[in-house]
Amino acid sequence: AQSVAQPEDQVNVAEGNPLTVKCTYSVSGNPYLFWYVQYPNRGLQFLLKYITGDNLVKGSYGFEAEFNKSQTSFHLKKPSALVSDSALYFCAVRRYQAGTALIFGKGTTLSVSS
Amino acid sequence: DVKVTQSSRYLVKRTGEKVFLECVQDMDHENMFWYRQDPGLGLRLIYFSYDVKMKEKGDIPEGYSVSREKKERFSLILESASTNQTSMYLCASSLQLGGDEQYFGPGTRLTVT
């Protein structure tokens, strides 16, 4: 069965430090992977995606993600965290049996302290 | 910019009422989706549609139905609202291609009392 796991409910980082939000997946075949961010009382915003090509994908707001096929991971990273990065982050993978519908992880709350 | 709008940000309904949640997108997207978001559970797919008048069940369709009479509009219907349907409902749309990202509306926070 296809699935996505975000092993950490919360990640705490000091402003200026690097951040990593973890995601692992389980799919048959090549995965299409996505990261979304949700600010309080807002809908989800697309950050970046991996379809094929370079394992390091760059996205919005200085975020990047590294696709690792052997570890079935797609961790979200940023070299220097900002307080404004504090939000709820979701990893997602495309379902193969349902067009472009996505399977989402349970979300990781990122808290960046000043 | 793609815009997905939802008819209400906050909605309070009574148990047993019929509830309509409306979603409109302005980018001529083929695919539209309804998710519900609950703390600790992430987003769960209720229904999706890949064309006008077409619909497919997601993971949790029980208690819900949908309607897509026009390409830009996708409605979620709670036939008889129950308290366990209190949740945040998110609508999304995307192009047909599998690698295309979904664009989300702001959400409707529904409370059923």
Side-chain angles (χ1 to χ4, degrees), chain A residues 36 38 41 49 95 100, chain B residues 9 31 37 59 94 99 102:
Chain A
Y36 287 82
Q38 185 179 37
N41 299 314
K49 65 182 177 183
R95 299 164 183 255
T100 63
Chain B
R9 292 298 304 272
N31 300 324
Q37 180 182 5
D59 297 322
S94 73
Q102 295 182 13

Side-chain angles (χ1 to χ4, degrees), chain B residues 57-88:
Chain B
K57 293 180 180 179
D59 297 322
I60 52 165
E62 297 78 18
Y64 304 95
S65 62
V66 290
S67 172
R68 193 166 181 200
E69 295 296 320
K70 293 185 178 181
K71 190 175 185 179
E72 67 270 19
R73 187 180 298 270
F74 191 37
S75 302
L76 180 69
I77 304 155
L78 286 66
E79 297 290 343
S80 178
S82 63
T83 55
N84 62 14
Q85 293 179 310
T86 292
S87 186
M88 170 70 86

Side-chain angles (χ1 to χ4, degrees), chain A residues 45-67:
Chain A
Q45 296 179 32
F46 169 75
L47 276 179
L48 50 78
K49 65 182 177 183
Y50 172 83
I51 306 302
T52 187
D54 280 343
N55 289 342
L56 187 64
V57 179
K58 294 189 183 297
S60 306
Y61 312 124
F63 283 94
E64 57 190 28
E66 187 170 9
F67 171 68

